[in-house]
Amino acid sequence: MNVQEVYGPGLLLVGVGFVLITLWGVWRIVRYVRADKETRRSIRQAVRIRAGWRRLARMAGLSVTDRTPTFLASLNTNERAELKPRELVPSIATTADRFGVIIRVKLLPKVGIDELQAKARFLAAAWGCVRVSVRPDKPGCAVLRAVRCDPLTTQTAFEPSGQPPDDLTQWPVGVDEYAEPVSIGVKDTSGATVAGRAGGGKSVLLNGLISRYAPSPAVQFAVADGKVSHASEGDYADVLPRLFAHVGDDLKEANDLFNRLVRLRRDRSSVIRRVLGVVNMWRIGPTPSWPLVVVVIDEAHTFFRDHKGSDAKTKKLAALAAENARLVEDLVKKGRSVGIFTVLATQKATGDAIPTFIRDVCGAALSFAQRTTEASVAALGEDIRNWPDADPVALQGAEYVGVASMAVEGREGFTRVRTPWVDEVSVAWVAGLTRHLTQDPARLLAELIGPSLHKVPDIADDGSGAV
């Protein structure tokens, strides 16, 4: 038997291992070179975290002493041999991004979630981070989020791709202070309120919502904008081609739109079981023939304001405002199951701006910067007083434009969220690209069930999709 026969398989395995290690190293180098500047800094930080973890964990008391001998040690028959206890440290794996490092930790007895949370400030200081969060992962594991640069003061942007979103049940609104994505559930949600002083980011957020969903034929949009008098003006002029209806601050035009939407809601409710075979559209999800209808009511106080006066004109306006409130209440309370999602935006979400019988039944609420805690309470509820760090009053200054506070499902208290900037050119581009998808939901419903429903008005033939 020659040397080659003896060592051949071993040399082959060594060679394969060397090639795999080389490929792994090349992949890491390529990833580092292709990353942006901030991600490279996070990659270097991740290397330092891994290199110093065992020492740091012992210093922080995040280790446990194991006095039970291992299997090999138990085979030692030398009775004089003293079995030394082992000091165990949780194993970790890291992933870097532009905001910092995600550390996945395998927990040990006496080193669990509570112990990691208690040491979060110590770990943040040791790693040179703004903050460190700790949350459960799969059983026996935890995730640490080490934030190197503050996502709340770092401007982010959403660039529409022109492709339909994979999930129509979630509205991604931004990232929280740990750079974790935050969404509002659209599925089975009655509606949402968006508050905040002028220039805080409300209209950008809502334009982002339309731009994100615009490429899907299973979503249609209507906008009532109380800041303008005509559809070609204001913050929603760029998305006009993708709206099947748009009105300005005229109360009568808004009333006509709300009546039209309520008729759609009633017609859908009357035929949903026969057409879809379910009583809740979300059991099967939106389709091009039964789309999700997103209704945006910006500067909502314009349409609900209580007009005072005894002259005929004022009385007429007061009657229209009262009926507008009644109609929008119908949409919010009864539109969920038939696929109508209503978003109301205003500066101060007090009862005179958005009637409480509408505001308090909306399933989601968020608020950009406010000037008083009373305005924060109106927007987010009394519980915001118990979370002063998340109070929108603290979101003053140019660096917090686009940052909002909101309650996130499954989380305690309130979360601050950085919403992305959406460039007007991108908004106009995606609206023009998808204008052929604009359809009147009432017409689509009539095509499904025949001509027995109310006659629906024609969509304007100017290509805008507005009425």
Side-chain angles (χ1 to χ4, degrees):
M1 182 177 294
N2 56 37
V3 174
Q4 185 175 358
E5 292 175 340
V6 175
Y7 295 104
L11 291 174
L12 178 62
L13 291 175
V14 171
V16 171
F18 177 77
V19 170
L20 292 176
I21 292 173
T22 302
L23 291 175
W24 177 81
V26 170
W27 175 80
R28 296 295 290 265
I29 293 173
V30 170
R31 177 175 175 265
Y32 180 82
V33 171
R34 294 183 63 183
D36 58 71
K37 179 181 178 181
E38 295 300 327
T39 303
R40 289 181 187 177
R41 293 180 61 185
S42 296
I43 291 173
R44 296 194 296 269
Q45 184 184 43
V47 172
R48 293 193 297 270
I49 289 174
R50 290 195 302 271
W53 170 244
R54 294 188 65 82
R55 180 170 179 267
L56 180 63
R58 293 190 183 101
M59 292 172 60
L62 297 174
S63 63
V64 61
T65 301
D66 185 3
R67 302 185 183 278
T68 304
T70 63
F71 174 75
L72 292 177
S74 65
L75 297 178
N76 188 350
T77 58
N78 186 352
E79 295 181 358
R80 293 185 177 181
E82 182 180 354
L83 297 176
K84 295 183 179 180
R86 297 175 299 148
E87 187 175 9
L88 304 181
V89 170
S91 60
I92 65 171
T94 61
T95 304
D97 59 29
R98 68 187 307 268
F99 291 109
V101 184
I102 298 172
I103 305 104
R104 286 179 167 80
V105 182
K106 188 173 182 180
L107 303 176
L108 295 173
K110 296 185 179 181
V111 182
I113 298 292
D114 293 341
E115 287 72 24
L116 289 170
Q117 289 176 336
K119 301 297 182 180
R121 290 182 181 272
F122 172 83
L123 295 175
W127 290 336
C129 297
V130 176
R131 60 182 72 90
V132 171
S133 71
V134 181
R135 59 180 174 83
D137 195 21
K138 61 184 180 180
C141 297
V143 174
L144 275 64
R145 182 47 158 147
V147 180
R148 183 180 50 78
C149 57
D150 193 346
L152 296 181
T153 58
T154 303
Q155 184 71 55
T156 60
F158 167 62
E159 297 181 2
S161 66
Q163 297 299 314
D166 295 329
D167 187 3
L168 296 179
T169 67
Q170 295 291 321
W171 170 16
V173 295
V175 295
D176 65 11
E177 55 198 303
Y178 300 105
E180 297 288 345
V182 175
S183 298
I184 290 176
V186 176
K187 179 180 179 180
D188 279 329
T189 302
S190 54
T193 59
V194 180
R197 59 184 176 85
K202 299 187 299 297
S203 296
V204 173
L205 174 69
L206 297 175
N207 265 306
L209 166 65
I210 296 173
S211 300
R212 192 180 298 273
Y213 281 173
S216 174
V219 186
Q220 300 296 334
F221 308 92
V223 170
D225 186 359
K227 297 192 298 293
V228 301
S229 299
H230 191 271
S232 61
E233 306 168 358
D235 296 317
Y236 301 95
D238 292 323
V239 297
L240 195 58
R242 193 58 180 90
L243 308 179
F244 76 87
H246 182 290
V247 297
D249 58 3
D250 186 275
L251 292 192
K252 181 61 172 66
E253 292 180 1
N255 186 260
D256 291 340
L257 173 60
F258 297 150
N259 268 296
R260 178 179 167 189
L261 293 169
V262 168
R263 284 199 301 272
L264 172 66
R265 197 279 306 164
R266 290 173 178 168
D267 291 339
R268 281 189 168 190
S269 297
S270 67
V271 300
I272 185 170
R273 187 187 295 272
R274 174 160 60 91
V275 175
L276 300 184
V278 295
V279 295
N280 187 336
M281 181 276 290
W282 288 108
R283 294 186 182 177
I284 59 176
T287 63
S289 59
W290 192 296
L292 167 66
V293 178
V294 176
V295 181
V296 174
I297 306 175
D298 203 348
E299 298 298 332
H301 56 273
T302 302
F303 308 107
F304 308 136
R305 184 167 64 89
D306 186 16
H307 294 263
K308 302 292 186 181
S310 58
D311 60 285
K313 184 177 179 180
T314 302
K315 288 182 177 180
K316 183 178 179 180
L317 292 175
L320 284 171
E323 187 180 9
N324 287 342
R326 179 183 62 80
L327 294 170
V328 174
E329 179 188 16
D330 181 285
L331 290 177
V332 173
K333 287 186 175 180
K334 302 177 183 178
R336 172 186 56 83
S337 62
V338 296
I340 299 177
F341 181 71
T342 305
V343 184
L344 301 104
T346 188
Q347 293 187 31
K348 291 176 64 177
T350 51
D352 57 338
I354 302 178
T356 56
F357 54 80
I358 297 174
R359 184 193 67 192
D360 294 347
V361 296
C362 286
L366 59 89
S367 177
F368 293 91
Q370 296 285 1
R371 298 196 182 278
T372 65
T373 297
E374 287 68 29
S376 301
V377 169
L380 301 173
E382 282 288 341
D383 196 35
I384 190 62
R385 297 185 187 275
N386 300 322
W387 302 87
D389 289 345
D391 191 329
V393 170
L395 301 177
Q396 307 299 327
E399 68 274 20
Y400 288 115
V401 171
V403 178
S405 292
M406 60 181 292
V408 178
E409 186 177 358
R411 299 191 192 181
E412 186 180 14
F414 292 85
T415 300
R416 294 181 296 175
V417 181
R418 157 63 66 179
T419 62
W421 171 259
V422 188
D423 182 74
E424 290 144 341
V425 175
S426 299
V427 170
W429 171 78
V430 75
L433 180 70
T434 60
R435 65 191 307 155
H436 65 284
L437 300 177
T438 305
Q439 298 287 338
D440 188 325
R443 187 177 303 281
L444 294 172
L445 185 62
E447 291 174 356
L448 276 178
I449 65 173
S452 60
L453 287 181
H454 306 282
K455 185 180 185 300
V456 296
D458 292 330
I459 294 181
D461 59 5
D462 61 357
S464 69
V467 296

